[in-house]
Amino acid sequence: MMKHILLILAGVLTFTTGMRAENLPSERKKVGLVLSGGGAKGMAHIGALKVIEKAGLPIDYVVGTSMGSIIGGLYAIGYTPEQMDSVVRNQDWQFLLSDGILRENQNMTEREADGKFVISVPFSKSVIQDVTGGVIKGHNIANLFSELTLGYHDSINFNKLPIPFACVSENIASGKEYVFHEGVLATAMRASMAIPGVFTPVRLDSMVLIDGGVTNNYPVNIARQMGADIIIGVDVQSPMKPADELDNAGTILGQLIDLMGQDQYMKNLKETNVHIKVNVKGYSAASFNHTAIDSLIIRGEEAATHQWEALLNLKNEIGIPDNYQPVRPHPYESVDWIMVKNIHFNGLDEKDKQWIMKRCDLIENGFNHISLIEEATSIIRANTNYSSVTYNLVQNDKGEYNLNYTLNKKQESRINIGIRFDSEEIATLLINARTTLNTELPSYISGTARLGKRYGAKLAYGIEPSPLTTLSLSYQFRLNDIDYHQDGKRSFNSTFRHHIAEISYHNVWLRNMQFGMGTRYELYGYDKFLHVEGTPTYNPQKREHFFSYYATLHYDSFDKAYFPSRGVKMHGSYTLYTDNFMEYENGTPFSGVQGSIESVIPVTRRFSILPSVHGRFLFGKNIPYSKMNIMGGDIMEKYLPYQLPFAGTTRVELMDNSLLIGGIKLRQRMGSIHYLTLTGNYALSSHKIKNILREDSMFGCAITYGMDSMFGPLEATFNYTNHSDKVGFYINLGYKF
């Protein structure tokens, strides 16, 4: 008899312990989880969720604002706290919270600009409307949301998610709160986190939606409206700051937002059953670095653990046994490869569609990797006349997806600014204004001014008849005042005005390769020409001009413009010089062949070897001094279009008709942004290429400390060459141009 009683008791215990949520009494109270906004501070929600799940509490509704809407939305479709922990730790948040495009997806023009300009500001009327709401359009974060919510891209009722969900936004067109109970989940997340002044608003139908934290950052009332009887709230808002801490625009804006929603916050606080208040002191909404994320997740766990007894006591109030453990919906399973039936690009013709699909390795009626689908949005933005691109994947009843891209025409104007300080020119400013034109064929006008010791300007008009194809007309002026050296000694000074008019055609053949050809007219106007006694004499005419024809080939797979960790960069060109389109000085034209190759060979995660070869060879008689080979400094074409870099001296060294430079760099990364580089190079020069190994040579070396700062590279260099009797020093801050 006792044996039977024990078996019955064991069975009852097993049944009770393994009881599923759907087998609980229907009259049990419903639980709402409310997650507040707070930017990066919202990472603490993940830690709090770990503890809430450990306590064994059922969650019937999830409501969030801003970052709370992102964490809450992912939780509602099946992400576990552990999955979200992994997701947030493996992101490049600096890149995500920008509109930047990976260098490998940029065209050559964009890559060149990326290495010159530290500031880029839109000024056209269309973008000013967006900038008033925020300077970041959110392309990259939107792509992340699309990736994380795959399977929920179509418009749906959020009550039908594994856990019913809602998030809060503010419609500034009406001044009223807007609560997402349906729609596209990624769009709802993006709208709820559109922080005023940071992210541009989301335009949906007639609404202009911004961060819901403006009026309801802790939306307990929404959870109550959905049917929640019990509220568990995770609150990551910072306390009100005293006057002495309101010392910058960011803190003042944050305080204003908190004040606007303070009345609603106090009401919602009274309606909370268990209030998990996270200590976020020392962190802000922008604390997206990895150390901060790790700390915030831990603080979320600690705050929830402090409420452990209160969480356990809720079980009795809810009406569930103390030993109850809910069965979560099936965890969300991320997918890398998906079957795509059809691909549609809204606004693109068939020719451009085929180009993009080929460029991005996308295929219809086949499997596509999700990373390639996302990459296409960057490629389109970087290489076509479209400024914004979004995508969605809608699944049919056969389990296949239809991939739809939505494109918006690029009709904006921008001002780009580059700044450099160095020990030679002191301060140099580069200002560029570029505007796209509303013409049948995509076109643009660009104007650039260089202000400094050597000033100049360039005006260009370009037509882009197809992606990655450009036909341009340009005029450039530069004033140069250059000291030329030979064998390490100052030989002469030349002050001259250099005018260049050019017609060119460029086309990208492969992902990282660009072909170009064109013709140019050059005019040199010499103001003075001062020789040092005892040095070779050059006596150019007051004015000289050239008509030239050229072809170029560029290849660039560097992952960064400065301090690259991988890739190869190559350049080759051929130029034929005349003075009347056919001849030079009533004889045969002369020509120049120039080439370079630089590569990065990673040896370890921090140590790299960077070999390089540069060369320029002139063929013909009576080569004018203005086209002779020069080298010096670490910047290609620093003073003149054909100047080759040479470590060891920053001066301009005049070399013979044939010039070949071989170099090698040993680079050690220290920390995340600091570098130490040892450089050695050897130059060979001769009048004829066949004698290059037997005539003039020059050795140079340098040691450089570098830092990859937000203003461009900071470099301090000690250099030496065997043609000099002293060690040189050069310091630079800013992009090189």
Side-chain angles (χ1 to χ4, degrees), residues 559 563-566 600-610 665-671 675-676:
D559 59 337
F563 308 111
S565 60
R566 55 182 172 82
V600 181
I601 304 173
V603 179
T604 67
R605 189 168 63 89
R606 292 180 174 272
F607 178 74
S608 300
I609 299 174
L610 293 83
K665 295 181 179 180
L666 306 178
R667 176 171 291 160
Q668 177 72 35
R669 178 166 61 88
M670 303 174 294
Y675 299 85
L676 184 65

Side-chain angles (χ1 to χ4, degrees), residues 93-388:
W93 288 100
Q94 184 177 356
F95 175 75
L96 285 173
L97 298 174
S98 74
D99 295 322
I101 300 173
L102 292 176
R103 196 168 190 271
E104 63 189 25
N105 294 330
Q106 296 175 335
N107 60 37
M108 292 298 181
T109 302
E110 293 286 342
R111 296 183 194 188
E112 182 180 355
D114 193 44
K116 291 182 178 180
F117 303 118
V118 67
I119 301 171
S120 183
V121 181
F123 67 90
S124 64
K125 184 177 179 181
S126 61
V127 295
I128 287 175
Q129 295 173 350
D130 289 335
V131 171
T132 57
V135 296
I136 302 172
K137 292 182 178 179
H139 298 300
N140 297 324
I141 198 72
N143 277 345
L144 176 65
F145 293 165
S146 294
E147 177 188 350
L148 296 177
T149 59
L150 182 62
Y152 298 91
H153 284 189
D154 50 346
S155 185
I156 55 177
N157 186 334
F158 293 170
N159 288 320
K160 296 181 179 180
L161 297 177
I163 302 176
F165 170 71
C167 64
V168 181
S169 188
E170 179 77 10
N171 180 14
I172 58 175
S174 66
K176 297 180 180 179
E177 178 181 275
Y178 181 79
V179 182
F180 281 93
H181 290 288
E182 61 183 8
V184 178
L185 184 58
T187 302
M189 292 176 174
R190 171 65 178 86
S192 184
M193 61 151 285
I195 304 170
V198 180
F199 289 97
T200 57
V202 171
R203 297 179 181 271
L204 187 64
D205 299 326
S206 61
M207 298 183 294
V208 182
L209 302 171
I210 63 171
D211 195 316
V214 171
T215 56
N216 197 357
N217 200 42
Y218 182 60
V220 172
N221 59 315
I222 306 302
R224 291 286 190 189
Q225 293 169 14
M226 294 175 68
D229 304 296
I230 302 293
I231 299 295
I232 301 173
V234 186
D235 185 359
V236 297
Q237 292 188 99
S238 299
M240 291 294 174
K241 292 180 171 58
D244 60 341
E245 294 184 20
L246 298 172
D247 53 1
N248 59 71
T251 58
I252 293 173
L253 177 62
Q255 188 99 319
L256 283 172
I257 293 174
D258 290 344
L259 285 170
M260 292 173 67
Q262 189 67 12
D263 290 343
Q264 186 62 60
Y265 172 74
M266 298 305 298
K267 292 177 182 178
N268 286 332
L269 199 59
K270 294 177 181 179
E271 291 291 318
T272 305
N273 296 85
V274 176
H275 182 227
I276 300 173
K277 181 64 176 177
V278 182
N279 174 19
V280 294
K281 187 177 181 180
Y283 297 102
S284 71
S287 299
F288 282 99
N289 63 79
H290 293 293
T291 301
I293 290 172
D294 182 68
S295 177
L296 286 164
I297 291 174
I298 293 173
R299 289 193 184 189
E301 289 188 64
E302 292 173 346
T305 302
H306 290 159
Q307 296 290 337
W308 181 255
E309 291 299 323
L311 291 171
L312 294 182
N313 290 336
L314 279 182
K315 288 188 171 183
N316 291 329
E317 190 172 349
I318 295 169
I320 59 176
D322 291 342
N323 56 1
Y324 168 75
Q325 289 291 329
V327 178
R328 278 186 47 80
H330 193 278
Y332 184 88
E333 294 183 1
S334 60
V335 179
D336 293 328
W337 293 88
I338 58 174
M339 177 65 186
V340 177
K341 180 68 175 177
N342 298 302
I343 302 176
H344 178 68
F345 294 89
N346 176 39
L348 278 186
D349 59 29
E350 187 63 24
K351 180 182 177 182
D352 288 346
K353 173 184 174 179
Q354 294 302 319
W355 174 85
I356 290 173
M357 291 180 60
K358 182 179 180 180
R359 172 69 170 79
C360 305
D361 296 324
L362 297 175
I363 58 173
E364 293 181 306
N365 295 307
F367 284 91
N368 292 264
H369 199 278
I370 189 68
S371 64
L372 297 178
I373 294 173
E374 293 177 0
E375 184 182 46
T377 65
S378 295
I379 292 172
I380 295 170
R381 284 200 291 131
N383 300 286
T384 69
N385 200 40
Y386 296 92
S387 60
S388 68

Side-chain angles (χ1 to χ4, degrees), residues 597-601 603 607-614 645-648 661-667 677-683 699-704:
I597 179 170
E598 303 169 80
S599 66
V600 181
I601 304 173
V603 179
F607 178 74
S608 300
I609 299 174
L610 293 83
S612 64
V613 178
H614 301 273
F646 185 80
I661 305 170
I664 190 167
K665 295 181 179 180
L666 306 178
R667 176 171 291 160
T677 305
L678 299 178
T679 305
N681 49 201
Y682 197 80
F699 167 77
C701 60
I703 180 170
T704 302

